[in-house]
Amino acid sequence: MRKTIIAGNWKMYKTIAEGSELVNGLKRELIDLEAVDIVVCPPFTLLPLLSDMLTSSNISVGAQDCYWQEEGAFTGEVSCKMIKDSGAKYVIIGHSERRQFFGETNETVNKKIKAALKAGLLPIVCVGETLAEREKNKTFDVLSDHIKNGLADITAEEMEKITIAYEPVWAIGTGKTATPAQAQEAHKFIRDLLEKIFDKETAQETRIQYGGSVKPENTAELINQPDIDGALVGGASLKVDSFAAIVKKASEVTK
Ligand code: PEP
């Protein structure tokens, strides 16, 4: 049984005051909700504070990126050890904005996953095709490339700690959501691929989130799909009302 996981990617939004206000609102709205794993991924500057504010709550904290070295002369980078030390539990790795703007490759994704696992963090690994790739019928090739190379040398045991986020790049921040059928097709492809790389049990137990313009109105129909185990939410995670509504909708889905 895969527990639904809803994570909010705050991207480069929220000061300390704004982030605290958002988290206080989420705590109020979601206090008793245990059916879904809830994660907020603020900028690095907010990790220790929000981790403290959310201690012993049903909401976990995650970082949006990490570096694979433990420490050293790497100006501007933050190591997995430091993220773990901040109180965070999860880390997003390989988000398409990192791939597009900051030179993230499957090779760096792979190094980051290994470093995150070593530090005791739970990676949320993003994969997904661009619009041009989808239009050229390359979606499955891209997903295979991201999964096979991003997860190179990862063991089945390590895979238990990893969540995959399928995020079609054309649906991120555009208001265009993949249809439930399009998303399900990609998720099923990913799960079948995980079975080939690892084994049936590992594939069945891996949580695969959908990301790309998720909002309260489309949450239920997406999560209702057999291979969609949650959502990675960008824009709609920045407001208490919309993120809390997404989590509540997700918690009502029984399948
Ligand atoms: C994201 O940033 O991972 C994302 C899915 O963004 P949005 O929900 O805004 O499309």
Side-chain angles (χ1 to χ4, degrees):
M1 224 345 225
R2 300 183 296 266
K3 188 173 181 186
T4 300
I5 174 168
I6 305 291
N9 172 15
W10 292 7
K11 310 196 185 193
M12 201 173 71
Y13 291 100
K14 304 293 179 191
T15 59
I16 289 174
E18 292 162 350
S20 311
E21 194 185 331
L22 175 49
V23 150
N24 277 328
L26 293 176
K27 276 170 87 174
R28 229 180 9 251
E29 285 291 319
L30 301 172
I31 188 90
D32 294 323
L33 208 142
E34 296 292 344
V36 170
D37 282 339
I38 311 164
V39 187
V40 290
C41 301
F44 287 126
T45 48
L46 278 155
L47 289 176
L49 175 68
L50 298 196
S51 297
D52 272 358
M53 287 175 72
L54 292 166
T55 304
S56 313
S57 80
N58 56 340
I59 305 177
S60 302
V61 176
Q64 297 173 19
D65 186 31
C66 60
Y67 192 55
W68 57 85
Q69 297 281 358
E70 276 187 21
E71 58 183 15
F74 302 105
T75 302
E77 294 296 332
V78 179
S79 75
C80 295
K81 189 175 155 190
M82 292 164 180
I83 293 169
K84 179 75 178 168
D85 185 49
S86 77
K89 185 171 171 188
Y90 291 86
V91 57
I92 298 172
I93 297 176
H95 190 279
S96 65
E97 286 152 16
R98 304 269 353 144
R99 295 181 191 258
Q100 191 181 348
F101 303 127
F102 302 100
E104 188 88 272
T105 62
N106 292 325
E107 197 186 353
T108 59
V109 165
N110 186 251
K111 286 184 181 178
K112 290 179 180 188
I113 295 172
K114 288 174 182 165
L117 292 169
K118 188 167 174 221
L121 292 168
L122 303 177
I124 296 176
V125 180
C126 303
V127 300
E129 80 288 358
T130 62
L131 184 59
E133 288 161 344
R134 176 163 280 265
E135 284 173 346
K136 280 191 227 141
N137 283 325
K138 294 270 182 229
T139 298
F140 292 158
D141 293 342
V142 173
L143 294 179
S144 289
D145 183 43
H146 286 179
I147 295 275
K148 282 187 189 154
N149 295 313
L151 298 178
D153 307 320
I154 296 298
T155 64
E157 201 184 342
E158 289 172 326
M159 199 57 214
E160 285 171 22
K161 304 205 160 48
I162 297 175
T163 299
I164 303 287
Y166 167 61
E167 298 209 302
V169 180
W170 49 272
I172 296 180
T174 58
K176 256 192 215 170
T177 319
T179 63
Q182 280 173 323
Q184 167 58 25
E185 184 187 38
H187 282 232
K188 170 89 169 69
F189 175 82
I190 292 168
R191 201 175 304 288
D192 289 346
L193 187 58
L194 293 176
E195 183 170 333
K196 281 184 206 137
I197 299 172
F198 300 99
D199 52 72
K200 193 172 176 65
E201 196 188 338
T202 304
Q204 284 306 315
E205 280 172 11
T206 301
R207 295 191 289 188
I208 308 175
Q209 299 173 293
Y210 167 79
S213 300
V214 173
K215 15 186 198 287
E217 305 80 63
N218 58 25
T219 301
E221 57 177 7
L222 286 161
I223 309 272
N224 239 320
Q225 299 298 312
D227 289 292
I228 301 185
D229 309 312
L232 181 54
V233 186
S237 72
L238 297 172
K239 292 209 172 100
V240 174
D241 288 357
S242 45
F243 192 63
I246 288 170
V247 172
K248 286 177 191 170
K249 294 265 182 208
S251 74
E252 284 159 14
V253 175
T254 47
K255 44 180 187 181

